[in-house]
């Protein structure tokens, strides 16, 4: 079956807390594993950037739910295209959490012509590469305690 990748950007709902973000990541890891979806979810300065890889039906079904989820707003599609192979290899949804984009500016400026973190300036493939780079820095977290520690 043909593999697809979908990349979107959104803004956290104003009342969303770090515990909610951790809950989304934990639930997503479990759900995505069942659906053979891989990917990565970046949360930084109230912005989400997510890549999802897998079958077209599984991605479409999930994206429909994500679009109407009240925990974020302004969900904007960046890319949805067929791919040859997965960029993210683990069977879960790794949450890449950075309290401030200053912490990944070094990586970010490789992909963007501006220093302000705004995924809408990036192409889908640039978003995917950025997410991969940030994951390789091993800054991904899956538990609320890690998120809280890193936000101090
Ligand atoms: P449940 O988790 O039981 O949710 C049932 C319903 O309640 C859904 O409509 C959900 O939107 C809503 N809901 C649940 N918790 C809350 C809450 N705290 N506040 C308000 N409404 C709530 N899901 C995945 O499976 N995989 C992903 O990769 C994924 N990525 C996401 C990324 C972002 C940025 C956001 C905001 C959500 C993401 N979700 C993801 C969640 C997705 O939108 C659905 O909520 C989820 O897929 C539904 O899972 P479920 O069927 O097990 O139902």
């Amino acid at each position: 079956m043909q593999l697809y990748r979908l990349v979107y950007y959104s803004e956290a709902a104003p009342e969303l807390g770090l515990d909610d973000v951790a809950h989304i990541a934990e639930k997503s890891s479990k759900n995505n594993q069942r659906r053979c979806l891989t990917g990565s979810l970046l949360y930084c300065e109230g912005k989400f950037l997510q890549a999802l890889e897998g079958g077209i039906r599984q991605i479409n079904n999930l994206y429909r739910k994500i679009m109407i989820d009240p925990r974020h707003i302004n969900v904007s599609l960046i890319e949805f295209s067929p791919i040859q192979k997965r960029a993210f290899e683990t069977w879960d949804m790794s949450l890449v959490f950075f309290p401030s984009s200053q912490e990944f500016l070094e990586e970010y400026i490789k992909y963007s012509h501006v220093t302000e973190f705004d995924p809408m300036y990036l192409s889908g493939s640039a978003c995917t590469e950025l997410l991969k780079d940030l994951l390789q820095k091993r800054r991904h977290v899956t538990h609320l305690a890690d998120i809280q520690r890193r936000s101090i």
Side-chain angles (χ1 to χ4, degrees):
M1 189 176 67
Q2 175 68 55
L3 278 172
Y4 281 77
R5 181 182 303 122
L6 183 146
V7 181
Y8 75 87
Y9 158 75
S10 68
E11 291 158 33
E15 68 281 4
L16 201 80
L18 291 177
D19 49 345
D20 298 311
V21 176
H23 181 75
I24 290 170
E26 276 175 39
K27 186 84 203 236
S28 298
S29 286
K30 287 186 195 134
N31 285 350
N32 293 3
Q33 209 157 353
R34 278 203 309 271
R35 300 170 183 140
C36 292
L37 290 171
T38 47
S40 179
L41 174 65
L42 169 67
Y43 179 69
C44 175
E45 296 174 349
K47 294 168 185 168
F48 288 108
L49 175 65
Q50 186 171 29
L52 291 164
E53 301 170 334
I56 190 164
R57 193 162 286 136
Q58 288 79 1
I59 292 183
N60 264 311
N61 288 344
L62 176 57
Y63 190 55
R64 267 199 294 275
K65 289 183 189 170
I66 288 177
M67 274 195 297
I68 56 166
D69 193 314
R71 291 170 287 185
H72 61 169
I73 53 173
N74 297 332
V75 180
S76 306
L77 183 67
I78 296 176
E79 180 186 47
F80 186 31
S81 52
I83 52 171
Q84 294 302 317
K85 65 181 278 220
R86 295 174 192 265
F88 304 95
E89 285 159 15
T90 51
W91 293 104
D92 64 6
M93 181 49 52
S94 307
L95 176 68
V96 185
F97 172 69
F98 284 87
S100 153
S101 55
Q102 285 302 318
E103 290 183 56
F104 62 79
L105 201 59
E106 214 176 281
E107 294 298 332
Y108 186 63
I109 55 174
K110 290 183 201 163
Y111 300 100
S112 173
H113 66 291
V114 290
T115 52
E116 181 204 352
F117 175 55
D118 185 347
M120 290 305 284
Y121 284 127
L122 304 181
S123 67
S125 53
C127 290
T128 303
E129 288 303 313
L130 175 67
L131 286 169
K132 267 177 69 182
D133 277 353
L134 296 180
L135 265 181
Q136 271 164 13
K137 285 184 157 237
R138 306 214 171 273
R139 297 294 308 271
H140 61 286
V141 291
T142 45
H143 299 294
L144 177 60
D146 294 331
I147 294 179
Q148 284 169 334
R149 197 161 358 95
R150 282 180 191 176
S151 59
I152 296 167

